[in-house]
Amino acid sequence: SSRSASRVSSELFTLTYGALVTQLCKDYENDEDVNKQLHHNLFCNFLPRGFNIGVRLIEDFLARSNVGRCHDFRETADVIAKVAFKMYLGITPSITNWSPAGDEFSLILENNPLVDFVELPDNHSSLIYSNLLCGVLRGALEMVQMAVEAKFVQDTLKGDGVTEIRMRFIRRIEDNLPAGEE
Amino acid sequence: MAIFSVYVVNKAGGLIYQLDSYAPRAEAEKTFSYPLDLLLKLHDERVLVAFGQRDGIRGGLGSGRGRGVGRAPVLRKWVGCRCGAGGKGVVSGPLSPRRNPGAAASLTISFTSAVGHAVLAINGMDVNGKYTADGKEVLEYLGNPANYPVSIRFGRPRLTSNEKLMLASMFHSLFAIGSQLSPEQGSSGIEMLETDTFKLHCYQTLTGIKFVVLADPRQAGIDSLLRKIYEIYSDFALKNPFYSLEMPIRCELFDQNLKLALEVAEKAGTFGPGS
Protein backbone atom coordinates (compact mmCIF):
# COMPACT_ATOMS: atom_id res chain seq x y z
CA SER A 1 0.00 0.00 0.00
CA SER A 2 1.25 3.43 -0.82
CA ARG A 3 -0.30 5.00 2.22
CA SER A 4 2.28 6.82 4.30
CA ALA A 5 3.25 5.27 7.58
CA SER A 6 2.28 8.17 9.77
CA ARG A 7 -1.30 7.86 10.96
CA VAL A 8 -3.32 10.13 13.17
CA SER A 9 -3.06 8.92 16.76
CA SER A 10 -6.12 7.13 18.05
CA GLU A 11 -6.40 9.64 20.89
CA LEU A 12 -6.71 12.49 18.44
CA PHE A 13 -9.30 10.44 16.56
CA THR A 14 -11.32 9.81 19.72
CA LEU A 15 -11.14 13.48 20.65
CA THR A 16 -12.18 14.57 17.17
CA TYR A 17 -15.16 12.25 17.15
CA GLY A 18 -16.11 13.46 20.61
CA ALA A 19 -15.96 17.04 19.41
CA LEU A 20 -18.36 16.17 16.58
CA VAL A 21 -20.87 14.55 18.91
CA THR A 22 -20.78 17.24 21.58
CA GLN A 23 -21.17 19.95 18.95
CA LEU A 24 -24.21 18.12 17.56
CA CYS A 25 -25.62 17.86 21.09
CA LYS A 26 -25.30 21.62 21.48
CA ASP A 27 -26.88 22.26 18.10
CA TYR A 28 -29.81 19.87 18.38
CA GLU A 29 -30.58 19.72 22.09
CA ASN A 30 -32.29 16.33 22.01
CA ASP A 31 -30.70 12.92 21.58
CA GLU A 32 -33.07 11.71 18.88
CA ASP A 33 -32.11 14.49 16.52
CA VAL A 34 -28.43 14.00 17.20
CA ASN A 35 -28.80 10.29 16.48
CA LYS A 36 -30.46 11.15 13.19
CA GLN A 37 -27.73 13.60 12.22
CA LEU A 38 -25.19 10.85 12.64
CA HIS A 39 -27.20 8.12 10.95
CA HIS A 40 -30.75 7.34 9.89
CA ASN A 41 -32.09 4.21 8.27
CA LEU A 42 -35.01 5.83 6.55
CA PHE A 43 -34.97 8.53 3.95
CA CYS A 44 -33.88 11.97 5.19
CA ASN A 45 -34.03 15.31 3.53
CA PHE A 46 -30.45 15.85 4.61
CA LEU A 47 -27.42 13.63 4.35
CA PRO A 48 -26.61 12.19 7.75
CA ARG A 49 -22.93 12.60 8.46
CA GLY A 50 -22.19 8.91 8.62
CA PHE A 51 -23.76 8.31 5.23
CA ASN A 52 -21.77 11.15 3.69
CA ILE A 53 -18.55 9.63 4.97
CA GLY A 54 -19.56 6.16 3.82
CA VAL A 55 -20.15 7.16 0.20
CA ARG A 56 -16.65 8.55 0.04
CA LEU A 57 -14.87 5.99 2.16
CA ILE A 58 -16.05 3.11 -0.02
CA GLU A 59 -13.89 4.31 -2.92
CA ASP A 60 -10.85 4.56 -0.70
CA PHE A 61 -11.63 1.06 0.53
CA LEU A 62 -12.07 -0.39 -2.96
CA ALA A 63 -9.02 1.42 -4.32
CA ARG A 64 -6.77 0.18 -1.55
CA SER A 65 -8.07 -3.24 -0.60
CA ASN A 66 -8.62 -4.65 -4.09
CA VAL A 67 -11.58 -6.75 -2.99
CA GLY A 68 -13.89 -7.79 -5.79
CA ARG A 69 -17.66 -7.79 -5.81
CA CYS A 70 -19.27 -9.88 -3.10
CA HIS A 71 -21.63 -12.57 -4.35
CA ASP A 72 -23.80 -12.80 -1.27
CA PHE A 73 -24.45 -11.15 2.05
CA ARG A 74 -22.19 -13.59 3.88
CA GLU A 75 -19.21 -12.50 1.80
CA THR A 76 -20.18 -8.91 2.47
CA ALA A 77 -20.20 -9.55 6.21
CA ASP A 78 -16.76 -11.11 6.02
CA VAL A 79 -15.31 -8.24 4.05
CA ILE A 80 -16.82 -5.69 6.40
CA ALA A 81 -15.56 -7.34 9.55
CA LYS A 82 -12.21 -8.71 8.46
CA VAL A 83 -11.03 -6.15 5.92
CA ALA A 84 -12.86 -2.86 6.39
CA PHE A 85 -13.04 -2.62 10.17
CA LYS A 86 -9.45 -3.80 10.36
CA MET A 87 -8.31 -1.20 7.85
CA TYR A 88 -10.07 1.76 9.35
CA LEU A 89 -10.49 1.08 13.05
CA GLY A 90 -7.87 -1.55 13.66
CA ILE A 91 -10.39 -3.98 15.13
CA THR A 92 -11.96 -7.17 13.80
CA PRO A 93 -15.54 -7.58 15.03
CA SER A 94 -16.98 -11.08 15.05
CA ILE A 95 -19.95 -12.05 12.94
CA THR A 96 -22.79 -13.81 14.72
CA ASN A 97 -26.55 -14.30 14.92
CA TRP A 98 -27.31 -14.96 11.30
CA SER A 99 -31.01 -14.91 10.50
CA PRO A 100 -32.35 -18.13 8.91
CA ALA A 101 -32.80 -16.37 5.58
CA GLY A 102 -29.24 -15.11 5.69
CA ASP A 103 -30.31 -11.50 5.37
CA GLU A 104 -29.39 -10.32 8.86
CA PHE A 105 -26.30 -10.62 10.99
CA SER A 106 -24.63 -8.97 13.96
CA LEU A 107 -21.22 -7.44 14.29
CA ILE A 108 -19.88 -7.81 17.82
CA LEU A 109 -17.28 -5.23 18.75
CA GLU A 110 -15.26 -6.14 21.82
CA ASN A 111 -13.81 -2.68 21.93
CA ASN A 112 -14.70 0.45 20.05
CA PRO A 113 -11.98 3.06 19.49
CA LEU A 114 -14.61 5.79 19.16
CA VAL A 115 -15.62 5.42 22.81
CA ASP A 116 -12.23 5.15 24.47
CA PHE A 117 -12.42 7.21 27.66
CA VAL A 118 -16.10 8.10 27.03
CA GLU A 119 -18.94 7.88 29.55
CA LEU A 120 -22.53 8.76 28.74
CA PRO A 121 -24.00 11.23 31.22
CA ASP A 122 -27.53 10.66 32.56
CA ASN A 123 -29.05 13.45 30.49
CA HIS A 124 -27.90 11.73 27.30
CA SER A 125 -29.12 8.24 28.01
CA SER A 126 -30.77 7.78 24.60
CA LEU A 127 -27.80 9.09 22.64
CA ILE A 128 -26.39 6.50 20.24
CA TYR A 129 -22.90 7.81 20.55
CA SER A 130 -21.27 5.76 17.79
CA ASN A 131 -24.17 6.01 15.38
CA LEU A 132 -21.82 7.45 12.77
CA LEU A 133 -20.51 3.92 12.21
CA CYS A 134 -23.93 2.71 11.12
CA GLY A 135 -24.14 5.62 8.73
CA VAL A 136 -20.77 4.83 7.25
CA LEU A 137 -21.81 1.23 6.69
CA ARG A 138 -25.10 2.17 5.06
CA GLY A 139 -23.51 4.83 2.84
CA ALA A 140 -20.66 2.62 1.75
CA LEU A 141 -22.88 -0.33 0.87
CA GLU A 142 -25.34 1.82 -1.00
CA MET A 143 -22.56 2.79 -3.39
CA VAL A 144 -22.07 -0.85 -4.25
CA GLN A 145 -25.76 -1.31 -4.91
CA MET A 146 -26.82 -2.74 -1.55
CA ALA A 147 -29.56 -1.12 0.51
CA VAL A 148 -29.02 -2.10 4.13
CA GLU A 149 -30.20 -1.10 7.54
CA ALA A 150 -27.69 -0.77 10.35
CA LYS A 151 -28.43 -0.13 13.99
CA PHE A 152 -26.91 -0.52 17.41
CA VAL A 153 -28.63 -3.15 19.55
CA GLN A 154 -26.11 -3.28 22.34
CA ASP A 155 -23.78 -0.56 23.54
CA THR A 156 -21.05 -0.77 26.18
CA LEU A 157 -21.68 2.91 26.86
CA LYS A 158 -25.13 1.93 28.10
CA GLY A 159 -23.90 -0.83 30.33
CA ASP A 160 -24.04 -3.75 27.91
CA GLY A 161 -21.20 -6.22 27.87
CA VAL A 162 -20.41 -5.76 24.22
CA THR A 163 -21.26 -3.39 21.42
CA GLU A 164 -23.46 -5.02 18.81
CA ILE A 165 -24.42 -3.60 15.40
CA ARG A 166 -27.26 -5.39 13.62
CA MET A 167 -27.07 -5.33 9.83
CA ARG A 168 -30.10 -6.13 7.68
CA PHE A 169 -30.12 -6.56 3.91
CA ILE A 170 -33.10 -4.74 2.45
CA ARG A 171 -32.67 -5.04 -1.29
CA ARG A 172 -30.32 -4.79 -4.20
CA ILE A 173 -30.33 -1.31 -5.71
CA GLU A 174 -31.24 -1.99 -9.31
CA ASP A 175 -31.51 1.51 -10.72
CA ASN A 176 -28.32 2.86 -12.26
CA LEU A 177 -26.45 -0.39 -12.02
CA PRO A 178 -22.96 -0.04 -13.48
CA ALA A 179 -22.83 -1.81 -16.83
CA GLY A 180 -21.73 -5.40 -16.56
CA GLU A 181 -23.08 -5.81 -13.06
CA GLU A 182 -26.46 -7.27 -13.90
CA MET B 1 4.78 11.44 -24.25
CA ALA B 2 3.31 7.97 -24.42
CA ILE B 3 0.23 8.58 -22.30
CA PHE B 4 -2.07 10.86 -24.20
CA SER B 5 -5.21 11.50 -22.19
CA VAL B 6 -7.13 10.70 -19.06
CA TYR B 7 -10.90 10.83 -18.77
CA VAL B 8 -12.99 10.26 -15.65
CA VAL B 9 -16.66 9.47 -16.24
CA ASN B 10 -19.26 9.42 -13.48
CA LYS B 11 -22.03 6.89 -13.00
CA ALA B 12 -24.45 8.72 -15.26
CA GLY B 13 -21.95 8.93 -18.11
CA GLY B 14 -20.99 12.53 -17.46
CA LEU B 15 -17.39 13.56 -17.98
CA ILE B 16 -16.09 14.92 -14.69
CA TYR B 17 -12.42 15.21 -15.49
CA GLN B 18 -10.25 15.35 -18.56
CA LEU B 19 -6.55 15.79 -19.07
CA ASP B 20 -4.58 15.85 -22.31
CA SER B 21 -0.98 15.14 -21.77
CA TYR B 22 0.59 14.76 -25.14
CA ALA B 23 3.00 17.12 -26.79
CA PRO B 24 1.44 17.57 -30.18
CA ARG B 25 3.98 16.45 -32.68
CA ALA B 26 2.65 18.30 -35.62
CA GLU B 27 2.03 21.90 -34.83
CA ALA B 28 3.61 24.80 -36.61
CA GLU B 29 3.88 28.27 -35.18
CA LYS B 30 4.88 31.02 -37.55
CA THR B 31 4.92 34.75 -37.68
CA PHE B 32 3.06 36.29 -40.57
CA SER B 33 2.84 39.68 -42.07
CA TYR B 34 -0.15 41.08 -43.87
CA PRO B 35 -1.65 39.81 -46.06
CA LEU B 36 -1.82 36.24 -44.90
CA ASP B 37 -0.72 33.88 -47.63
CA LEU B 38 -3.05 31.14 -46.58
CA LEU B 39 -6.75 30.98 -47.15
CA LEU B 40 -8.67 30.42 -43.96
CA LYS B 41 -12.26 29.39 -43.64
CA LEU B 42 -14.74 28.70 -40.93
CA HIS B 43 -15.79 25.10 -40.58
CA ASP B 44 -17.60 23.47 -37.68
CA GLU B 45 -16.90 26.36 -35.33
CA ARG B 46 -13.19 26.23 -36.11
CA VAL B 47 -10.90 28.23 -38.35
CA LEU B 48 -9.22 25.88 -40.82
CA VAL B 49 -6.66 26.29 -43.54
CA ALA B 50 -8.69 25.85 -46.70
CA PHE B 51 -5.99 26.45 -49.23
CA GLY B 52 -2.30 26.88 -49.26
CA GLN B 53 0.50 24.81 -47.93
CA ARG B 54 3.73 26.21 -46.65
CA ASP B 55 6.37 25.39 -44.15
CA GLY B 56 4.49 22.44 -42.83
CA ILE B 57 1.13 24.09 -42.52
CA ARG B 58 -1.37 21.96 -44.33
CA GLY B 59 -4.34 23.07 -46.26
CA GLY B 60 -7.34 21.01 -47.10
CA LEU B 61 -8.05 21.56 -50.75
CA GLY B 62 -5.68 19.88 -53.12
CA SER B 63 -2.74 21.99 -52.14
CA GLY B 64 0.63 21.19 -53.59
CA ARG B 65 0.85 20.03 -57.13
CA GLY B 66 1.22 16.42 -56.23
CA ARG B 67 4.74 16.97 -55.11
CA GLY B 68 5.48 15.57 -51.73
CA VAL B 69 2.02 15.96 -50.32
CA GLY B 70 2.30 14.58 -46.86
CA ARG B 71 5.79 15.86 -46.44
CA ALA B 72 6.76 19.22 -45.17
CA PRO B 73 7.84 21.46 -47.99
CA VAL B 74 10.02 24.41 -47.34
CA LEU B 75 8.75 26.46 -50.19
CA ARG B 76 5.69 25.82 -52.23
CA LYS B 77 4.58 27.37 -55.41
CA TRP B 78 0.98 27.29 -56.29
CA VAL B 79 -0.95 28.79 -59.04
CA GLY B 80 -4.14 30.64 -58.74
CA CYS B 81 -3.82 31.60 -55.15
CA ARG B 82 -4.90 35.11 -54.51
CA CYS B 83 -3.31 35.37 -51.15
CA GLY B 84 0.35 35.72 -51.95
CA ALA B 85 1.83 39.12 -51.42
CA GLY B 86 2.94 39.22 -55.01
CA GLY B 87 -0.39 37.92 -56.19
CA LYS B 88 1.24 35.41 -58.46
CA GLY B 89 1.40 32.40 -56.25
CA VAL B 90 4.96 32.52 -55.07
CA VAL B 91 5.44 32.57 -51.39
CA SER B 92 7.21 35.70 -50.44
CA GLY B 93 7.54 37.76 -47.38
CA PRO B 94 9.84 37.79 -44.44
CA LEU B 95 9.87 34.04 -44.13
CA SER B 96 10.61 33.12 -47.70
CA PRO B 97 13.98 31.43 -48.02
CA ARG B 98 15.12 33.95 -50.60
CA ARG B 99 14.97 36.75 -48.09
CA ASN B 100 15.61 34.73 -45.03
CA PRO B 101 17.66 31.62 -45.67
CA GLY B 102 17.50 30.71 -42.04
CA ALA B 103 13.80 30.16 -42.34
CA ALA B 104 14.29 27.17 -44.55
CA ALA B 105 14.03 24.91 -41.55
CA SER B 106 10.81 22.98 -41.79
CA LEU B 107 8.70 20.94 -39.47
CA THR B 108 8.01 17.35 -40.26
CA ILE B 109 4.43 16.34 -40.21
CA SER B 110 4.23 12.66 -39.94
CA PHE B 111 0.60 11.86 -40.60
CA THR B 112 -0.95 11.99 -44.01
CA SER B 113 -4.44 13.03 -43.11
CA ALA B 114 -5.94 15.37 -45.64
CA VAL B 115 -7.84 17.37 -43.05
CA GLY B 116 -6.79 20.96 -43.03
CA HIS B 117 -4.96 22.29 -40.08
CA ALA B 118 -6.77 24.54 -37.67
CA VAL B 119 -5.76 27.80 -36.11
CA LEU B 120 -4.88 26.79 -32.56
CA ALA B 121 -3.39 29.96 -31.13
CA ILE B 122 -2.77 33.57 -32.01
CA ASN B 123 0.20 35.37 -30.50
CA GLY B 124 0.62 32.57 -28.01
CA MET B 125 -2.95 32.59 -26.72
CA ASP B 126 -5.12 29.60 -27.47
CA VAL B 127 -8.13 30.40 -29.59
CA ASN B 128 -11.60 29.41 -28.50
CA GLY B 129 -13.16 27.83 -31.55
CA LYS B 130 -13.66 30.66 -33.99
CA TYR B 131 -12.94 33.34 -31.42
CA THR B 132 -9.65 34.60 -30.10
CA ALA B 133 -8.89 34.31 -26.41
CA ASP B 134 -10.36 37.76 -25.84
CA GLY B 135 -13.54 37.11 -27.75
CA LYS B 136 -12.84 38.63 -31.15
CA GLU B 137 -13.61 36.69 -34.29
CA VAL B 138 -10.44 35.10 -35.64
CA LEU B 139 -11.19 35.73 -39.30
CA GLU B 140 -11.99 39.36 -38.62
CA TYR B 141 -8.87 39.76 -36.56
CA LEU B 142 -6.66 38.25 -39.22
CA GLY B 143 -8.29 40.37 -41.91
CA ASN B 144 -7.16 43.57 -40.24
CA PRO B 145 -3.68 44.75 -41.28
CA ALA B 146 -3.33 46.61 -38.00
CA ASN B 147 -3.02 43.32 -36.13
CA TYR B 148 0.12 42.26 -37.99
CA PRO B 149 2.75 40.96 -37.64
CA VAL B 150 0.95 38.12 -35.94
CA SER B 151 2.13 34.76 -34.73
CA ILE B 152 -0.26 31.92 -35.50
CA ARG B 153 -0.02 28.33 -34.38
CA PHE B 154 -1.54 25.74 -36.70
CA GLY B 155 -2.12 22.11 -36.03
CA ARG B 156 -4.54 19.29 -36.08
CA PRO B 157 -7.89 20.54 -34.74
CA ARG B 158 -8.25 19.59 -31.12
CA LEU B 159 -11.46 18.30 -29.60
CA THR B 160 -13.49 20.99 -27.90
CA SER B 161 -14.70 20.36 -24.35
CA ASN B 162 -18.23 19.88 -25.61
CA GLU B 163 -17.04 17.26 -28.04
CA LYS B 164 -15.18 15.52 -25.25
CA LEU B 165 -18.33 15.54 -23.11
CA MET B 166 -20.30 13.94 -25.91
CA LEU B 167 -17.65 11.37 -26.65
CA ALA B 168 -17.41 10.41 -23.00
CA SER B 169 -21.14 9.94 -22.79
CA MET B 170 -21.07 7.90 -25.98
CA PHE B 171 -18.30 5.76 -24.62
CA HIS B 172 -20.33 5.22 -21.46
CA SER B 173 -23.11 3.75 -23.61
CA LEU B 174 -20.75 1.69 -25.73
CA PHE B 175 -19.16 0.35 -22.60
CA ALA B 176 -22.55 -0.99 -21.56
CA ILE B 177 -23.16 -2.46 -25.01
CA GLY B 178 -19.92 -4.34 -24.58
CA SER B 179 -21.35 -6.28 -21.68
CA GLN B 180 -24.73 -6.75 -23.35
CA LEU B 181 -23.22 -8.23 -26.50
CA SER B 182 -21.27 -10.79 -24.59
CA PRO B 183 -22.38 -14.41 -25.03
CA GLU B 184 -21.55 -14.94 -21.36
CA GLN B 185 -23.50 -13.70 -18.42
CA GLY B 186 -21.96 -11.08 -16.22
CA SER B 187 -19.36 -9.93 -18.67
CA SER B 188 -17.61 -6.66 -18.06
CA GLY B 189 -17.92 -3.73 -20.40
CA ILE B 190 -15.23 -2.55 -22.82
CA GLU B 191 -11.86 -2.73 -21.12
CA MET B 192 -9.65 -1.94 -24.06
CA LEU B 193 -10.09 -0.34 -27.41
CA GLU B 194 -7.26 -0.47 -29.88
CA THR B 195 -6.48 1.58 -32.96
CA ASP B 196 -3.26 1.86 -34.90
CA THR B 197 -2.26 5.05 -33.11
CA PHE B 198 -3.44 4.49 -29.54
CA LYS B 199 -4.94 2.09 -27.06
CA LEU B 200 -7.82 3.14 -24.85
CA HIS B 201 -7.95 1.41 -21.47
CA CYS B 202 -11.00 1.60 -19.25
CA TYR B 203 -11.46 0.59 -15.64
CA GLN B 204 -14.93 0.69 -14.12
CA THR B 205 -15.05 0.59 -10.33
CA LEU B 206 -17.68 -1.36 -8.42
CA THR B 207 -19.33 1.98 -7.74
CA GLY B 208 -19.73 2.71 -11.44
CA ILE B 209 -17.05 5.34 -12.02
CA LYS B 210 -14.92 4.87 -15.10
CA PHE B 211 -11.30 5.82 -15.43
CA VAL B 212 -10.18 5.95 -19.05
CA VAL B 213 -6.59 6.31 -20.26
CA LEU B 214 -5.50 6.73 -23.86
CA ALA B 215 -1.90 5.75 -24.46
CA ASP B 216 0.62 4.67 -27.03
CA PRO B 217 -0.10 1.07 -28.03
CA ARG B 218 3.32 0.05 -26.79
CA GLN B 219 2.92 1.62 -23.39
CA ALA B 220 2.80 -0.97 -20.61
CA GLY B 221 1.61 -0.69 -17.05
CA ILE B 222 -1.67 1.05 -17.79
CA ASP B 223 -3.65 -1.33 -15.59
CA SER B 224 -1.71 -0.33 -12.52
CA LEU B 225 -1.89 3.30 -13.62
CA LEU B 226 -5.68 3.02 -13.67
CA ARG B 227 -5.69 1.64 -10.13
CA LYS B 228 -3.35 4.44 -9.10
CA ILE B 229 -5.69 7.03 -10.59
CA TYR B 230 -8.52 5.45 -8.56
CA GLU B 231 -6.45 5.94 -5.41
CA ILE B 232 -5.68 9.54 -6.36
CA TYR B 233 -9.40 10.12 -6.93
CA SER B 234 -10.32 8.59 -3.59
CA ASP B 235 -7.74 10.80 -1.87
CA PHE B 236 -7.68 14.19 -3.50
CA ALA B 237 -11.21 14.41 -4.80
CA LEU B 238 -13.26 12.43 -2.31
CA LYS B 239 -11.44 13.44 0.84
CA ASN B 240 -11.79 17.07 -0.10
CA PRO B 241 -14.99 17.96 1.75
CA PHE B 242 -15.65 20.78 -0.69
CA TYR B 243 -15.80 18.40 -3.62
CA SER B 244 -19.32 17.13 -4.39
CA LEU B 245 -19.73 13.64 -5.71
CA GLU B 246 -20.46 13.19 -9.40
CA MET B 247 -19.50 16.79 -10.14
CA PRO B 248 -16.56 17.99 -12.28
CA ILE B 249 -13.31 17.57 -10.40
CA ARG B 250 -11.63 20.91 -9.92
CA CYS B 251 -9.06 20.07 -7.31
CA GLU B 252 -5.49 21.32 -7.72
CA LEU B 253 -4.06 18.45 -5.74
CA PHE B 254 -5.88 15.92 -7.87
CA ASP B 255 -4.39 17.51 -11.00
CA GLN B 256 -0.88 17.62 -9.61
CA ASN B 257 -0.86 14.09 -8.31
CA LEU B 258 -2.41 12.72 -11.48
CA LYS B 259 0.24 14.37 -13.64
CA LEU B 260 2.91 12.95 -11.38
CA ALA B 261 1.43 9.48 -11.68
CA LEU B 262 1.41 9.77 -15.47
CA GLU B 263 5.07 10.71 -15.48
CA VAL B 264 5.94 7.77 -13.28
CA ALA B 265 3.92 5.38 -15.42
CA GLU B 266 5.54 6.59 -18.61
CA LYS B 267 9.03 6.17 -17.30
CA ALA B 268 8.28 2.76 -15.87
CA GLY B 269 6.44 1.28 -18.77
CA THR B 270 7.77 2.51 -22.07
CA PHE B 271 9.39 -0.16 -24.14
CA GLY B 272 9.13 1.54 -27.49
CA PRO B 273 11.60 4.04 -28.88
CA GLY B 274 11.26 7.57 -27.68
CA SER B 275 8.24 9.04 -25.92
Side-chain angles (χ1 to χ4, degrees):
Chain A
S1 160
S2 57
R3 199 197 280 278
S4 89
S6 72
R7 308 283 295 270
V8 174
S9 81
S10 60
E11 285 82 8
L12 181 56
F13 178 61
T14 305
L15 282 170
T16 307
Y17 188 71
L20 170 67
V21 176
T22 49
Q23 184 62 52
L24 286 174
C25 289
K26 279 203 189 87
D27 289 344
Y28 290 93
E29 290 182 357
N30 78 76
D31 290 347
E32 262 323 297
D33 284 342
V34 177
N35 293 341
K36 245 187 176 166
Q37 287 290 321
L38 290 170
H39 165 63
H40 197 49
N41 279 313
L42 302 173
F43 178 77
C44 287
N45 56 358
F46 59 88
L47 263 189
R49 282 159 186 72
F51 188 90
N52 194 25
I53 293 177
V55 301
R56 293 168 184 256
L57 199 64
I58 181 71
E59 311 274 13
D60 181 272
F61 176 69
L62 292 173
R64 302 208 134 83
S65 70
N66 245 329
V67 301
R69 186 167 287 283
C70 293
H71 297 103
D72 57 36
F73 207 40
R74 283 185 183 266
E75 263 192 74
T76 307
D78 272 345
V79 171
I80 291 173
K82 295 173 186 158
V83 192
F85 265 87
K86 183 101 182 90
M87 201 188 261
Y88 293 110
L89 290 172
I91 57 175
T92 309
S94 42
I95 305 167
T96 64
N97 287 353
W98 276 101
S99 66
D103 64 340
E104 282 191 44
F105 67 91
S106 289
L107 287 164
I108 311 282
L109 283 69
E110 306 276 310
N111 68 315
N112 176 1
L114 290 176
V115 307
D116 284 344
F117 317 120
V118 175
E119 281 177 23
L120 268 191
D122 293 329
N123 62 327
H124 284 298
S125 50
S126 34
L127 182 65
I128 310 173
Y129 187 85
S130 307
N131 217 10
L132 194 89
L133 283 183
C134 293
V136 175
L137 287 166
R138 183 169 147 102
L141 289 171
E142 174 141 332
M143 295 289 276
V144 285
Q145 297 89 45
M146 268 185 266
V148 301
E149 197 184 77
K151 59 180 190 242
F152 277 89
V153 296
Q154 289 196 78
D155 196 347
T156 49
L157 283 186
K158 300 197 168 123
D160 300 319
V162 290
T163 300
E164 181 183 345
I165 298 177
R166 189 91 184 134
M167 302 278 299
R168 182 169 78 87
F169 180 83
I170 301 175
R171 62 184 177 88
R172 196 144 182 254
I173 300 174
E174 299 284 336
D175 35 280
N176 280 336
L177 273 182
E181 303 289 351
E182 291 85 34
Chain B
M1 297 253 205
I3 296 179
F4 305 138
S5 317
V6 177
Y7 291 72
V8 181
V9 182
N10 69 13
K11 285 176 247 202
L15 183 65
I16 59 174
Y17 183 80
Q18 206 279 317
L19 175 71
D20 284 327
S21 149
Y22 52 91
R25 278 170 293 173
E27 290 183 354
E29 180 146 21
K30 295 280 172 203
T31 307
F32 297 85
S33 58
Y34 189 81
L36 200 58
D37 51 4
L38 296 162
L39 184 62
L40 300 176
K41 68 164 185 188
L42 198 56
H43 178 69
D44 246 357
E45 293 301 298
R46 289 194 185 94
V47 178
L48 303 182
V49 179
F51 193 85
Q53 186 164 328
R54 67 185 298 261
D55 286 343
I57 298 164
R58 309 206 55 193
L61 301 175
S63 43
R65 314 252 284 155
R67 249 201 292 172
V69 171
R71 299 175 178 285
V74 170
L75 220 206
R76 281 312 200 116
K77 277 194 196 182
W78 61 89
V79 171
C81 167
R82 285 169 295 148
C83 353
K88 286 287 179 183
V90 174
V91 175
S92 60
L95 288 182
S96 96
R98 226 180 309 143
R99 289 218 221 139
N100 189 356
S106 60
L107 292 167
T108 310
I109 298 191
S110 52
F111 47 78
T112 56
S113 146
V115 173
H117 276 186
V119 171
L120 296 180
I122 291 180
N123 292 332
M125 309 244 280
D126 287 349
V127 303
N128 186 6
K130 60 182 189 184
Y131 297 101
T132 65
D134 32 339
K136 309 194 185 71
E137 285 209 25
V138 170
L139 289 176
E140 219 178 278
Y141 186 86
L142 293 176
N144 183 353
N147 292 320
Y148 286 74
V150 69
S151 159
I152 311 178
R153 178 157 30 103
F154 293 92
R156 180 164 177 259
R158 306 234 190 103
L159 289 172
T160 66
S161 15
N162 261 345
E163 283 168 345
K164 288 177 186 170
L165 264 163
M166 278 179 358
L167 289 173
S169 155
M170 217 181 291
F171 181 76
H172 171 82
S173 309
L174 287 175
F175 178 94
I177 289 172
S179 77
Q180 287 165 24
L181 280 176
S182 168
E184 302 229 352
Q185 230 242 329
S187 158
S188 76
I190 295 176
E191 289 179 346
M192 218 251 290
L193 190 148
E194 183 168 357
T195 73
D196 59 350
T197 52
F198 72 88
K199 265 189 193 165
L200 177 155
H201 305 249
C202 178
Y203 171 58
Q204 175 172 259
T205 67
L206 292 183
T207 53
I209 307 219
K210 286 188 256 307
F211 298 99
V212 177
V213 168
L214 276 66
D216 186 297
R218 297 159 298 180
Q219 177 74 39
I222 300 293
D223 275 346
S224 58
L225 173 64
L226 286 168
R227 300 291 184 285
K228 181 75 186 150
I229 298 177
Y230 190 18
E231 275 184 33
I232 294 173
Y233 167 75
S234 83
D235 283 341
F236 299 102
L238 292 186
K239 293 191 184 72
N240 179 344
F242 301 106
Y243 168 69
S244 317
L245 260 52
E246 308 295 298
M247 292 282 111
I249 302 174
R250 300 214 165 93
C251 311
E252 264 298 330
L253 288 174
F254 178 80
D255 257 334
Q256 288 170 13
N257 281 274
L258 180 59
K259 287 178 181 150
L260 211 60
L262 294 184
E263 273 173 44
V264 169
E266 277 178 347
K267 292 202 181 96
T270 312
F271 295 133
S275 300

